Amino acid sequence: MITIEFLGPIQKAAITMEAVSLRDVAEVLKQDDELVQWIDNCAVALNDTLVASLDIPLKDGDKISLLPPVCGG
Amino acid sequence: MITIEFLGPIQKAAITMEAVSLRDVAEVLKQDDELVQWIDNCAVALNDTLVASLDIPLKDGDKISLLPPVCGG
Amino acid sequence: MLELYEGALNVPEIITRWYAEEADYNYGAYIPFIGTVRAEDGIEGLSFDVYEPILSSWFDTWQAKAEALGAKLKMAHSRGDVLVHESSYIAAVFSPKRRVALEMIEQFVEDFKASAPIWKYDLKDGQRLYAADRSTAIQGAGILGGKS
Amino acid sequence: MLELYEGALNVPEIITRWYAEEADYNYGAYIPFIGTVRAEDGIEGLSFDVYEPILSSWFDTWQAKAEALGAKLKMAHSRGDVLVHESSYIAAVFSPKRRVALEMIEQFVEDFKASAPIWKYDLKDGQRLYAADRSTAIQGAGILGGKS
């Protein structure tokens, strides 16, 4: 089981699912109507480290975070 | 009569002289042994405004300042 | 050192404490950058969400970069609401060399704007509205949708 | 605003007073640059001569340049002796825009180094020695000797 959390302005509670790679997660999230406006502009972190590719195996307990466009300061 | 003052590290008291242009002043200062190390690296101000040329007429009461290399901060 | 606060920053306290903390570090230049909320577009203030785990590792990477040049970074940021003319952000560099300090504060602040996991909202008419138009997608964003 | 002080600067007083003075100016970025005397080459401190009339007009020219961009400058500098780890120089910019502030503080500090009529001396073994090797001839220097 992995957890997916949505940061900042994405108004969506965390979800859990079974997945063996980040590519599986992407397939599910792309079907989610609530995420339409976010899917193309979010960065992705696996266990709080940003990742640059979907070809990453996942293991039980992993946490995936979606980071929408930022504006600190 | 004009006054010439020497700023910062130039250890020299102010002098007065008669002169009708900055070029006259330069001729006198170039002969001054105390100024040998300064003549080529000093900027020149006339009445507290930096000047870029010697072809400047002078009038009675003018003040000329020699500004050696700087290092503020 | 990274400091997070609820609400507006106490700028005098922070910038003078940092100055005192580094009194024995043989730096030549200390440059704090202080960000203050401007009155514009009728906002009452701004509000911030901060995701601390990734902000911390982003900051640690910059601190290592600074240390390699003999410099040191400090940063403070607000969470939650910060009203107009209050301050929400301070980034500071201490460095033996002036050039290193001037270049680093600029690069650090610009990368902060582009990369730090902080989200900004306008406080307006009692609402908290995501500042989408001023926000920047983090480098590498979009991989879920097929961009990479 | 240009402030000259005998001896070391009271940095906390100055940078917090400036912050308070501009509380109602609708700036977005405040960047003070603080210069502190480093322990090096066995010096006990530095000492400064300042020629205020030309420093003031140099500063006024920069202030006009800042105002044209909606920004404001402030500066403080020491005269006389400043010991190791004490501060002798603060330059600050307030600006609505971050980019203007970052670029201006860099250009202002660099031009200050090259142009401001201030002379530096090392305090070492009870002597006050002109720092000739770190000093820069002002642009246009040398006309008396025939350079122009």
Side-chain angles (χ1 to χ4, degrees):
Chain A
M1 195 81 98
I2 60 139
T3 303
I4 305 164
E5 61 177 25
F6 304 93
L7 299 177
I10 312 178
Q11 299 289 324
K12 190 174 167 64
I15 58 179
T16 55
M17 62 180 280
E18 299 291 345
V20 299
S21 89
L22 210 47
R23 200 167 292 280
D24 298 343
V25 175
E27 289 311 313
V28 173
L29 297 181
K30 275 197 273 193
Q31 311 308 318
D32 188 327
D33 286 347
E34 293 180 276
L35 294 176
V36 168
Q37 62 170 305
W38 301 110
I39 213 80
D40 285 328
N41 60 24
C42 276
V44 178
L46 172 59
N47 300 326
D48 292 332
T49 298
L50 292 169
V51 296
S53 158
L54 295 181
D55 298 316
I56 294 180
L58 299 176
K59 59 180 193 305
D60 193 47
D62 277 348
K63 179 181 73 170
I64 290 162
S65 310
L66 263 64
L67 294 90
V70 296
C71 187
Chain B
M1 195 81 98
I2 60 140
T3 303
I4 306 164
E5 60 176 28
F6 304 93
L7 299 177
I10 312 179
Q11 300 289 324
K12 188 173 168 65
I15 58 178
T16 57
M17 62 181 279
E18 298 290 346
V20 297
S21 88
L22 211 46
R23 198 167 293 280
D24 298 343
V25 175
E27 289 310 313
V28 173
L29 296 181
K30 275 198 271 191
Q31 311 307 319
D32 190 326
D33 287 348
E34 293 180 274
L35 295 175
V36 168
Q37 62 170 303
W38 303 109
I39 213 79
D40 285 327
N41 59 24
C42 275
V44 178
L46 172 59
N47 301 326
D48 292 332
T49 298
L50 292 170
V51 296
S53 156
L54 295 181
D55 298 316
I56 294 181
L58 299 177
K59 60 179 192 306
D60 193 48
D62 276 349
K63 180 181 75 171
I64 291 162
S65 309
L66 264 65
L67 294 89
V70 297
C71 186
Chain C
M1 192 180 37
L2 171 62
E3 304 177 12
L4 295 173
Y5 294 87
E6 284 303 316
L9 302 182
N10 182 340
V11 172
E13 190 278 326
I14 294 169
I15 61 179
T16 63
R17 175 167 47 79
W18 289 354
Y19 179 70
E21 279 172 8
E22 302 304 331
D24 292 328
Y25 166 46
N26 195 26
Y27 70 90
Y30 164 36
I31 313 179
F33 174 104
I34 296 126
T36 298
V37 178
R38 301 193 69 221
E40 56 187 348
D41 302 325
I43 61 167
E44 289 121 42
L46 297 174
S47 191
F48 299 92
D49 290 341
V50 174
Y51 187 62
E52 189 167 358
I54 293 181
L55 182 63
S56 285
S57 43
W58 171 85
F59 182 78
D60 291 346
T61 301
W62 265 100
Q63 190 68 279
K65 210 182 284 194
E67 275 166 21
L69 296 168
K72 245 182 237 197
L73 293 166
K74 294 181 192 260
M75 191 179 119
H77 204 285
S78 298
R79 296 177 189 271
D81 297 356
V82 181
L83 300 183
V84 159
H85 298 341
E86 293 182 332
S87 302
S88 54
Y89 175 49
I90 313 179
V93 59
F94 289 83
S95 160
K97 304 269 181 211
R98 170 179 95 251
R99 285 301 321 159
V100 168
L102 286 165
E103 286 165 24
M104 183 156 290
I105 195 68
E106 173 164 7
Q107 292 164 9
F108 181 68
V109 168
E110 292 300 336
D111 190 48
F112 168 82
K113 285 290 195 181
S115 309
I118 300 180
W119 296 276
K120 179 179 286 180
Y121 304 81
D122 288 332
L123 297 175
K124 201 170 174 176
D125 305 326
Q127 292 187 288
R128 187 177 193 256
L129 306 161
Y130 174 51
D133 55 327
R134 282 113 73 203
S135 297
T136 307
I138 293 172
Q139 200 182 8
I143 56 172
L144 290 174
K147 293 191 199 167
S148 65
Chain D
M1 193 177 39
L2 171 63
E3 304 177 10
L4 295 173
Y5 294 87
E6 285 302 315
L9 302 181
N10 183 340
V11 172
E13 190 280 325
I14 295 169
I15 60 179
T16 64
R17 176 167 45 81
W18 288 354
Y19 179 70
E21 279 171 7
E22 302 304 331
D24 292 328
Y25 166 47
N26 195 24
Y27 70 90
Y30 166 35
I31 314 179
F33 173 105
I34 296 128
T36 298
V37 178
R38 301 192 68 221
E40 56 188 348
D41 302 326
I43 61 166
E44 289 120 42
L46 298 173
S47 190
F48 298 91
D49 289 341
V50 175
Y51 186 62
E52 189 168 0
I54 294 180
L55 182 63
S56 284
S57 43
W58 172 85
F59 182 79
D60 291 346
T61 302
W62 266 99
Q63 190 67 282
K65 209 181 287 194
E67 275 166 21
L69 297 168
K72 244 181 236 198
L73 294 166
K74 295 181 191 261
M75 190 179 119
H77 203 285
S78 299
R79 296 176 188 272
D81 297 356
V82 181
L83 301 183
V84 159
H85 297 341
E86 293 183 332
S87 302
S88 54
Y89 175 50
I90 313 179
V93 59
F94 289 83
S95 161
K97 303 268 180 213
R98 169 179 97 250
R99 285 301 321 159
V100 168
L102 286 165
E103 286 165 23
M104 183 156 291
I105 195 69
E106 173 165 6
Q107 292 164 9
F108 181 69
V109 168
E110 292 299 337
D111 190 47
F112 168 83
K113 285 291 196 182
S115 308
I118 300 180
W119 296 277
K120 180 179 284 179
Y121 305 81
D122 288 333
L123 296 174
K124 200 170 174 177
D125 305 325
Q127 291 187 289
R128 188 177 192 258
L129 307 161
Y130 175 52
D133 55 327
R134 282 112 73 203
S135 297
T136 307
I138 293 172
Q139 199 182 10
I143 56 171
L144 291 174
K147 293 190 199 169
S148 67

